[in-house]
Amino acid sequence: MIGSYVAVGDSFTEGVGDPGPDGAFVGWADRLAVLLADLRPEGDFQYTNLAVRGKLLDQIVADQVPRAVELAPDLVSFCAGGNDILRPGSDPDDVAERFEKAVARLASAAGTVMVTTGFDTRGVPVLKHLRGKIATYNGHVRAVADRYGCPVLDLWSLKSVQDRRAWSEDRLHLSPEGHTRVALRAGQVLGLDVPADPEQPWPPLPPRGTLAVRRDDVQWAREHLVPWIGRRLRGESSGDHVRPKGPLSPEEIKSRIASVA
């Protein structure tokens, strides 16, 4: 039984796209922590979320991995390298080598290290050209997992997140429902009896006309794509002034989820 869990990563693990009542995010890792805590006696579970949006692999290794090693939990979830892969000219082979060194360090201290693959980006307009590069990195992640006995949260194969309702308005981060489905899949990977099927079909959507689709695309580009490109050109990160959530109690997470449900 898992009595302690530390989440390490970037915006995906911080929970961007799944806002709580105070403006901070919840996300799949927090939701997984609740599933794990429910299997323990009350008060007998420790959870810490160290993830910060926008962080590259080397930043995560420098800032978060030492803290995770220090805590030596039963479980670490490690999702890193995605922001590196998105950068022009990055080499997935090189990123994977650095990823493996971090996994080895975490595996020496934690009971279990769960790693994650990248999503299939064929339906994401600004990222679909990176699909082959992401697939290459995913292959490396699975190979590393085999070498260190890590369970793999395979996001590429999670078909339910191909629906646009699984994504937030920025089309780069999951929606609350998307984060929920990832948490359920993570629970399955760890052998939990989860309360719902992450691949449960979505309700049918009404048809959308071409004009409505184009209007949504223009609004998305103005509100999300242009600012994202601007930050890249200025060398800024969305996480430059963000601190990790740190220790969280399952009761606090449940309260934040309930308040926005």
Side-chain angles (χ1 to χ4, degrees), residues 4-203:
S4 54
Y5 168 34
V6 174
V8 173
D10 51 28
S11 59
F12 169 62
T13 302
E14 184 188 347
V16 174
D18 186 9
D22 52 1
F25 296 104
V26 182
W28 73 271
D30 291 9
R31 293 173 181 271
L32 173 61
V34 170
L35 294 178
L36 294 169
D38 284 346
L39 300 175
R40 304 283 297 186
E42 186 174 353
D44 188 27
F45 184 81
Q46 290 79 46
Y47 169 60
T48 303
N49 191 317
L50 302 174
V52 175
R53 71 199 76 167
K55 296 302 181 182
L56 299 171
L57 174 59
D58 288 346
Q59 294 172 315
I60 292 171
V61 170
D63 298 337
Q64 300 177 35
V65 169
R67 178 59 176 151
V69 169
E70 178 185 350
L71 291 169
D74 295 333
L75 171 68
V76 169
S77 61
F78 182 52
C79 180
N83 288 325
D84 299 73
I85 297 299
L86 296 182
R87 296 208 161 192
S90 62
D91 180 357
D93 299 335
D94 173 67
V95 177
E97 286 183 12
R98 291 181 280 126
F99 177 88
E100 180 165 3
K101 292 177 181 178
V103 169
R105 189 174 176 190
L106 290 168
S108 69
T112 298
V113 180
M114 180 173 66
V115 298
T116 67
T117 69
F119 291 100
D120 186 349
T121 59
R122 60 182 161 179
V124 185
V126 73
L127 299 179
K128 62 183 178 181
H129 68 288
L130 296 173
R131 191 176 184 226
K133 195 174 177 182
I134 295 169
T136 299
Y137 186 61
N138 285 351
H140 283 302
V141 168
R142 294 188 186 96
V144 170
D146 286 344
R147 286 193 284 273
Y148 291 88
C150 301
V152 179
L153 174 53
D154 188 356
L155 303 175
W156 184 281
S157 68
L158 186 57
K159 299 303 181 183
S160 63
V161 296
Q162 296 297 327
D163 190 286
R164 62 184 175 88
R165 287 166 288 185
W167 296 87
S168 66
E169 291 182 355
D170 68 6
R171 304 185 186 181
L172 295 172
H173 299 98
L174 293 173
S175 66
E177 179 63 21
H179 277 284
T180 298
R181 288 175 182 252
V182 169
L184 292 169
R185 173 53 59 86
Q188 289 179 333
V189 168
L190 295 172
L192 276 61
D193 184 13
V194 297
D197 180 6
E199 294 284 26
Q200 180 178 350
W202 294 81

